[in-house]
Amino acid sequence: MKARITITLKSGVLDPQGKAIQHTLDDLGFEGVTKLRQGKIFDIEINETDKTKAETQLTAMSEKLLANMVMENYSVEILD
Amino acid sequence: MQASVIVFPGSNCDRDVKVSLEHATSKKVNMVWHGDSDIPKSDLIVLPGGFSYGDYLRCGAISAKSNIMKAVITAANKGTPILGICNGFQILIEAGLLPGTLMRNAGLKFVCKDAYLRVENNETIFTKKYSAGAVIRIPVAHHDGNYFADDDVLDKIEDNGQVAFRYATQAGEVNDQANINGSRRNIAGIYNESKNILGMMPHPERLDQAILGGTDGAHLFNSLVNSLA
Protein backbone atom coordinates (compact mmCIF):
# COMPACT_ATOMS: atom_id res chain seq x y z
CA MET A 1 0.00 0.00 0.00
CA LYS A 2 1.26 3.46 -0.87
CA ALA A 3 0.82 6.35 1.48
CA ARG A 4 1.93 9.92 1.90
CA ILE A 5 2.65 11.60 5.21
CA THR A 6 2.78 15.39 5.19
CA ILE A 7 4.51 17.27 8.00
CA THR A 8 3.74 20.94 8.57
CA LEU A 9 4.72 23.40 11.27
CA LYS A 10 2.06 24.11 13.87
CA SER A 11 0.54 27.54 13.61
CA GLY A 12 2.29 29.95 15.93
CA VAL A 13 5.67 28.30 15.36
CA LEU A 14 8.00 30.71 13.58
CA ASP A 15 9.16 29.51 10.17
CA PRO A 16 12.26 31.48 9.19
CA GLN A 17 12.89 29.16 6.23
CA GLY A 18 9.39 29.72 4.90
CA LYS A 19 9.87 33.43 5.31
CA ALA A 20 13.16 33.40 3.37
CA ILE A 21 11.54 31.38 0.57
CA GLN A 22 8.64 33.83 0.45
CA HIS A 23 11.07 36.76 0.19
CA THR A 24 12.92 35.04 -2.63
CA LEU A 25 9.68 34.50 -4.55
CA ASP A 26 9.03 38.18 -4.09
CA ASP A 27 12.53 38.99 -5.40
CA LEU A 28 11.82 36.83 -8.46
CA GLY A 29 8.82 38.95 -9.26
CA PHE A 30 6.06 36.68 -7.96
CA GLU A 31 3.94 39.34 -6.40
CA GLY A 32 1.08 38.84 -4.01
CA VAL A 33 2.38 35.87 -2.00
CA THR A 34 0.96 36.75 1.39
CA LYS A 35 1.98 33.63 3.31
CA LEU A 36 4.30 30.68 2.84
CA ARG A 37 5.00 27.86 5.30
CA GLN A 38 7.38 25.05 4.35
CA GLY A 39 7.13 21.40 5.38
CA LYS A 40 8.07 17.84 4.46
CA ILE A 41 6.52 14.95 2.56
CA PHE A 42 7.27 11.26 3.07
CA ASP A 43 6.13 8.81 0.39
CA ILE A 44 5.91 5.40 2.02
CA GLU A 45 5.12 1.90 0.78
CA ILE A 46 4.17 -0.72 3.35
CA ASN A 47 3.24 -4.38 3.25
CA GLU A 48 -0.30 -3.97 4.51
CA THR A 49 -3.56 -4.42 2.65
CA ASP A 50 -5.94 -3.35 5.41
CA LYS A 51 -6.47 0.39 5.20
CA THR A 52 -7.31 0.86 8.88
CA LYS A 53 -4.28 -1.12 10.03
CA ALA A 54 -2.08 0.82 7.63
CA GLU A 55 -3.36 4.11 8.99
CA THR A 56 -2.70 2.99 12.56
CA GLN A 57 0.88 2.09 11.64
CA LEU A 58 1.48 5.30 9.72
CA THR A 59 0.11 7.35 12.59
CA ALA A 60 2.46 5.62 15.02
CA MET A 61 5.40 6.23 12.65
CA SER A 62 4.51 9.91 12.46
CA GLU A 63 4.27 10.37 16.19
CA LYS A 64 7.31 8.29 17.07
CA LEU A 65 9.77 9.56 14.50
CA LEU A 66 8.62 11.49 11.45
CA ALA A 67 7.11 14.49 13.22
CA ASN A 68 8.31 16.41 16.24
CA MET A 69 5.02 16.78 18.06
CA VAL A 70 6.21 19.90 19.89
CA MET A 71 6.30 21.97 16.71
CA GLU A 72 4.84 19.92 13.87
CA ASN A 73 1.52 18.49 12.69
CA TYR A 74 1.21 15.47 10.43
CA SER A 75 -1.43 14.13 8.12
CA VAL A 76 -1.66 10.60 6.73
CA GLU A 77 -3.07 9.93 3.28
CA ILE A 78 -3.51 6.47 1.76
CA LEU A 79 -2.76 6.73 -1.96
CA ASP A 80 -4.06 3.36 -3.23
CA MET B 1 33.91 11.04 39.00
CA GLN B 2 33.66 8.43 36.29
CA ALA B 3 32.35 9.87 33.03
CA SER B 4 31.18 8.19 29.83
CA VAL B 5 30.83 9.88 26.46
CA ILE B 6 28.40 8.45 23.92
CA VAL B 7 29.74 8.44 20.36
CA PHE B 8 27.23 8.64 17.51
CA PRO B 9 28.04 8.42 13.80
CA GLY B 10 28.82 12.06 13.05
CA SER B 11 29.73 13.16 16.57
CA ASN B 12 32.73 15.46 16.27
CA CYS B 13 33.18 16.97 19.74
CA ASP B 14 33.39 13.61 21.49
CA ARG B 15 37.16 13.68 21.80
CA ASP B 16 37.22 17.35 22.82
CA VAL B 17 34.86 16.74 25.72
CA LYS B 18 36.86 13.62 26.63
CA VAL B 19 39.97 15.79 26.98
CA SER B 20 38.06 18.30 29.13
CA LEU B 21 36.62 15.57 31.36
CA GLU B 22 39.97 13.82 31.77
CA HIS B 23 41.57 17.17 32.58
CA ALA B 24 38.93 17.82 35.24
CA THR B 25 38.80 14.31 36.70
CA SER B 26 42.28 12.85 36.06
CA LYS B 27 40.38 9.65 35.18
CA LYS B 28 40.10 7.86 31.88
CA VAL B 29 36.74 8.53 30.26
CA ASN B 30 34.70 5.67 28.74
CA MET B 31 33.83 6.15 25.09
CA VAL B 32 30.59 4.27 24.36
CA TRP B 33 29.43 3.51 20.80
CA HIS B 34 25.80 4.27 19.90
CA GLY B 35 25.16 0.66 18.86
CA ASP B 36 26.11 -0.70 22.30
CA SER B 37 23.41 -1.71 24.75
CA ASP B 38 25.12 -0.96 28.05
CA ILE B 39 26.99 1.96 29.55
CA PRO B 40 29.75 1.14 32.07
CA LYS B 41 28.91 2.33 35.57
CA SER B 42 29.13 6.11 35.31
CA ASP B 43 28.62 9.14 37.53
CA LEU B 44 28.08 11.27 34.42
CA ILE B 45 26.98 10.52 30.87
CA VAL B 46 27.81 13.06 28.16
CA LEU B 47 26.16 13.37 24.74
CA PRO B 48 28.68 15.33 22.68
CA GLY B 49 28.35 17.89 19.93
CA GLY B 50 28.54 17.13 16.24
CA PHE B 51 26.24 16.37 13.34
CA SER B 52 25.07 12.85 14.08
CA TYR B 53 23.48 11.18 11.05
CA GLY B 54 24.17 14.35 9.08
CA ASP B 55 21.28 16.07 10.87
CA TYR B 56 18.92 13.96 8.72
CA LEU B 57 15.17 14.28 9.38
CA ARG B 58 15.70 16.71 12.29
CA CYS B 59 18.89 17.33 14.27
CA GLY B 60 19.25 14.54 16.81
CA ALA B 61 16.10 12.70 15.72
CA ILE B 62 17.81 9.55 14.42
CA SER B 63 20.34 9.36 17.27
CA ALA B 64 17.56 9.70 19.81
CA LYS B 65 16.27 6.32 18.62
CA SER B 66 19.66 4.57 18.68
CA ASN B 67 20.23 1.48 20.77
CA ILE B 68 22.35 3.13 23.46
CA MET B 69 19.69 5.76 24.10
CA LYS B 70 17.54 3.14 25.83
CA ALA B 71 20.32 2.81 28.41
CA VAL B 72 20.74 6.61 28.59
CA ILE B 73 17.01 7.09 29.22
CA THR B 74 17.00 4.36 31.89
CA ALA B 75 20.00 5.98 33.61
CA ALA B 76 18.46 9.44 33.33
CA ASN B 77 15.24 8.26 34.94
CA LYS B 78 17.26 6.74 37.78
CA GLY B 79 18.84 10.15 38.39
CA THR B 80 22.22 9.71 36.70
CA PRO B 81 23.56 13.12 35.66
CA ILE B 82 23.43 13.63 31.90
CA LEU B 83 25.05 16.49 29.98
CA GLY B 84 24.11 17.16 26.35
CA ILE B 85 26.15 19.72 24.45
CA CYS B 86 24.92 21.16 21.13
CA ASN B 87 23.95 18.07 19.09
CA GLY B 88 23.79 16.27 22.44
CA PHE B 89 21.19 18.83 23.56
CA GLN B 90 19.24 18.22 20.34
CA ILE B 91 19.36 14.45 20.99
CA LEU B 92 18.10 14.89 24.58
CA ILE B 93 15.21 16.98 23.25
CA GLU B 94 14.33 14.45 20.57
CA ALA B 95 14.54 11.65 23.15
CA GLY B 96 11.93 13.48 25.22
CA LEU B 97 14.28 13.96 28.18
CA LEU B 98 14.06 17.75 27.99
CA PRO B 99 11.07 19.96 27.14
CA GLY B 100 10.63 22.11 24.02
CA THR B 101 12.51 21.85 20.77
CA LEU B 102 15.42 23.38 18.85
CA MET B 103 14.65 24.94 15.50
CA ARG B 104 16.65 26.48 12.65
CA ASN B 105 18.40 29.68 13.81
CA ALA B 106 16.15 32.69 13.28
CA GLY B 107 18.79 34.34 11.07
CA LEU B 108 19.04 31.09 9.04
CA LYS B 109 22.83 31.22 9.29
CA PHE B 110 25.20 28.83 10.99
CA VAL B 111 26.46 30.80 13.99
CA CYS B 112 30.05 30.15 15.06
CA LYS B 113 31.39 32.59 17.64
CA ASP B 114 31.92 33.20 21.32
CA ALA B 115 28.65 33.92 23.09
CA TYR B 116 28.10 35.51 26.47
CA LEU B 117 25.79 33.62 28.77
CA ARG B 118 24.20 34.58 32.02
CA VAL B 119 24.16 31.78 34.58
CA GLU B 120 20.53 31.66 35.65
CA ASN B 121 20.74 28.95 38.28
CA ASN B 122 24.00 28.26 40.07
CA GLU B 123 22.55 25.82 42.56
CA THR B 124 22.84 22.66 40.48
CA ILE B 125 25.50 19.98 40.19
CA PHE B 126 26.47 21.52 36.82
CA THR B 127 26.84 25.14 37.86
CA LYS B 128 27.68 25.39 41.56
CA LYS B 129 31.20 26.69 40.79
CA TYR B 130 29.75 29.73 38.99
CA SER B 131 28.62 32.70 41.03
CA ALA B 132 24.95 33.66 40.89
CA GLY B 133 24.18 35.68 37.74
CA ALA B 134 27.75 35.29 36.45
CA VAL B 135 28.32 36.24 32.81
CA ILE B 136 30.50 33.69 31.08
CA ARG B 137 32.00 33.43 27.61
CA ILE B 138 31.44 30.10 25.85
CA PRO B 139 31.71 29.35 22.10
CA VAL B 140 28.68 28.35 20.05
CA ALA B 141 28.69 26.61 16.67
CA HIS B 142 25.30 25.55 15.38
CA HIS B 143 22.63 25.96 12.73
CA ASP B 144 19.68 24.71 14.75
CA GLY B 145 19.81 26.15 18.24
CA ASN B 146 16.71 28.31 18.26
CA TYR B 147 14.97 27.11 21.41
CA PHE B 148 11.21 26.94 21.14
CA ALA B 149 8.49 25.98 23.59
CA ASP B 150 5.00 27.35 24.05
CA ASP B 151 4.25 29.91 26.78
CA ASP B 152 2.85 27.37 29.22
CA VAL B 153 5.97 25.21 29.01
CA LEU B 154 8.24 28.26 29.24
CA ASP B 155 6.44 29.58 32.31
CA LYS B 156 6.65 26.17 33.93
CA ILE B 157 10.39 25.74 33.34
CA GLU B 158 11.07 29.31 34.49
CA ASP B 159 9.08 28.79 37.69
CA ASN B 160 10.92 25.58 38.41
CA GLY B 161 14.39 27.11 37.91
CA GLN B 162 15.03 24.97 34.83
CA VAL B 163 16.63 27.71 32.74
CA ALA B 164 20.37 27.12 33.06
CA PHE B 165 21.83 29.80 30.78
CA ARG B 166 20.55 32.71 28.71
CA TYR B 167 22.29 34.52 25.85
CA ALA B 168 23.30 37.92 27.19
CA THR B 169 25.51 40.88 26.41
CA GLN B 170 28.98 41.02 27.91
CA ALA B 171 27.46 43.24 30.61
CA GLY B 172 24.90 40.56 31.39
CA GLU B 173 21.85 42.14 29.80
CA VAL B 174 19.42 39.66 28.34
CA ASN B 175 17.99 41.33 25.23
CA ASP B 176 17.24 40.71 21.54
CA GLN B 177 20.63 42.01 20.46
CA ALA B 178 22.36 39.28 22.49
CA ASN B 179 20.01 36.57 21.26
CA ILE B 180 22.27 34.95 18.66
CA ASN B 181 19.73 32.47 17.28
CA GLY B 182 16.23 33.69 18.13
CA SER B 183 15.70 31.39 21.11
CA ARG B 184 12.58 32.14 23.10
CA ARG B 185 13.46 34.14 26.20
CA ASN B 186 17.15 33.93 25.14
CA ILE B 187 17.38 30.37 26.45
CA ALA B 188 20.77 28.74 25.80
CA GLY B 189 20.49 25.77 28.14
CA ILE B 190 17.85 24.02 30.24
CA TYR B 191 17.51 21.38 32.92
CA ASN B 192 14.91 18.69 33.29
CA GLU B 193 12.53 18.97 36.22
CA SER B 194 14.79 17.18 38.70
CA LYS B 195 17.92 18.92 37.34
CA ASN B 196 20.02 15.81 36.76
CA ILE B 197 19.92 16.54 33.02
CA LEU B 198 21.40 19.64 31.37
CA GLY B 199 21.17 20.42 27.67
CA MET B 200 23.02 23.43 26.29
CA MET B 201 23.90 24.72 22.82
CA PRO B 202 27.24 26.40 23.79
CA HIS B 203 30.41 24.30 24.03
CA PRO B 204 32.08 24.52 27.47
CA GLU B 205 34.72 22.00 26.34
CA ARG B 206 36.03 24.53 23.83
CA LEU B 207 37.03 27.09 26.43
CA ASP B 208 38.18 25.25 29.53
CA GLN B 209 41.94 25.84 29.57
CA ALA B 210 44.04 28.99 29.36
CA ILE B 211 45.81 27.65 26.28
CA LEU B 212 42.43 27.73 24.48
CA GLY B 213 41.94 31.40 25.32
CA GLY B 214 39.65 31.12 28.31
CA THR B 215 38.57 28.99 31.23
CA ASP B 216 34.89 29.84 31.67
CA GLY B 217 33.91 26.36 30.52
CA ALA B 218 36.09 24.65 33.13
CA HIS B 219 33.82 25.59 36.02
CA LEU B 220 31.07 23.45 34.57
CA PHE B 221 33.26 20.34 34.59
CA ASN B 222 34.71 21.30 37.99
CA SER B 223 31.19 21.74 39.38
CA LEU B 224 30.41 18.18 38.31
CA VAL B 225 33.64 16.84 39.81
CA ASN B 226 32.89 18.71 43.03
CA SER B 227 29.34 17.32 43.14
CA LEU B 228 29.97 13.78 41.98
CA ALA B 229 33.53 12.89 43.00
Side-chain angles (χ1 to χ4, degrees):
Chain A
M1 189 172 283
K2 288 183 182 171
R4 172 168 285 184
I5 294 174
T6 306
I7 310 283
T8 51
L9 284 172
K10 286 184 177 169
S11 61
V13 175
L14 286 178
D15 181 13
Q17 293 179 84
K19 217 167 242 176
I21 295 164
Q22 187 181 334
H23 283 152
T24 306
L25 286 175
D26 197 55
D27 291 345
L28 290 171
F30 293 100
E31 289 169 16
V33 180
T34 53
K35 193 177 177 185
L36 189 153
R37 308 270 287 167
Q38 49 86 46
K40 284 179 202 155
I41 283 177
F42 299 90
D43 283 329
I44 302 184
E45 294 182 30
I46 52 170
N47 286 328
E48 179 59 69
T49 48
D50 185 287
K51 198 177 163 211
T52 312
K53 281 185 188 163
E55 277 174 347
T56 306
Q57 274 196 60
L58 292 159
T59 299
M61 289 178 200
S62 302
E63 293 187 1
K64 209 166 175 191
L65 181 65
L66 302 181
N68 176 338
M69 301 303 290
V70 175
M71 59 172 179
E72 293 170 331
N73 290 321
Y74 66 88
S75 66
V76 173
E77 188 188 350
I78 305 289
L79 298 177
D80 60 13
Chain B
M1 179 181 83
Q2 178 61 57
S4 293
V5 175
I6 312 293
V7 184
F8 299 94
S11 294
N12 66 7
C13 303
D14 46 332
R15 281 173 287 177
D16 292 24
V17 78
K18 175 182 194 274
V19 169
S20 298
L21 288 163
E22 291 184 345
H23 188 253
T25 63
S26 307
K27 260 191 207 164
K28 198 176 174 329
V29 167
N30 302 315
M31 303 302 276
V32 183
W33 184 236
H34 74 110
D36 291 355
S37 303
D38 299 309
I39 301 167
K41 196 173 170 340
S42 307
D43 304 305
L44 172 74
I45 299 169
V46 179
L47 275 57
F51 298 86
S52 59
Y53 290 95
D55 284 345
Y56 293 168
L57 187 61
R58 294 177 305 275
C59 302
I62 310 280
S63 295
K65 309 295 176 194
S66 66
N67 203 37
I68 199 68
M69 283 306 290
K70 291 175 203 149
V72 172
I73 291 168
T74 304
N77 290 335
K78 280 187 190 156
T80 302
I82 316 272
L83 169 64
I85 301 167
C86 199
N87 189 221
F89 183 13
Q90 294 163 338
I91 295 168
L92 289 173
I93 289 253
E94 283 286 345
L97 290 172
L98 290 171
T101 193
L102 291 157
M103 303 185 54
R104 180 53 46 102
N105 293 344
L108 295 175
K109 291 201 169 85
F110 189 96
V111 177
C112 182
K113 61 189 225 180
D114 287 359
Y116 289 97
L117 311 176
R118 196 172 76 189
V119 179
E120 296 295 300
N121 181 345
N122 72 331
E123 293 173 356
T124 73
I125 53 170
F126 299 93
T127 52
K128 55 159 56 166
K129 289 276 186 185
Y130 293 109
S131 52
V135 178
I136 59 174
R137 180 169 62 100
I138 307 277
V140 293
H142 60 253
H143 210 162
D144 298 78
N146 179 354
Y147 184 76
F148 176 85
D150 64 33
D151 289 332
D152 289 347
V153 172
L154 288 171
D155 290 343
K156 206 176 137 208
I157 64 175
E158 301 251 16
D159 289 349
N160 193 33
Q162 286 175 247
V163 177
F165 305 106
R166 276 186 233 269
Y167 299 111
T169 64
Q170 194 171 356
E173 282 172 69
V174 172
N175 56 27
D176 286 347
Q177 184 207 331
N179 195 354
I180 56 156
N181 56 21
S183 289
R184 294 210 67 192
R185 303 190 192 179
N186 285 47
I187 289 172
I190 52 165
Y191 301 106
N192 65 331
E193 217 174 314
S194 46
K195 303 190 183 69
N196 64 308
I197 307 175
L198 168 63
M200 61 191 293
M201 288 312 296
H203 287 271
E205 78 280 14
R206 292 194 185 178
L207 215 47
D208 72 330
Q209 292 179 46
I211 196 171
L212 299 175
T215 57
D216 283 356
H219 301 307
L220 189 137
F221 300 107
N222 292 334
S223 296
L224 287 162
V225 171
N226 184 271
S227 308
L228 307 172

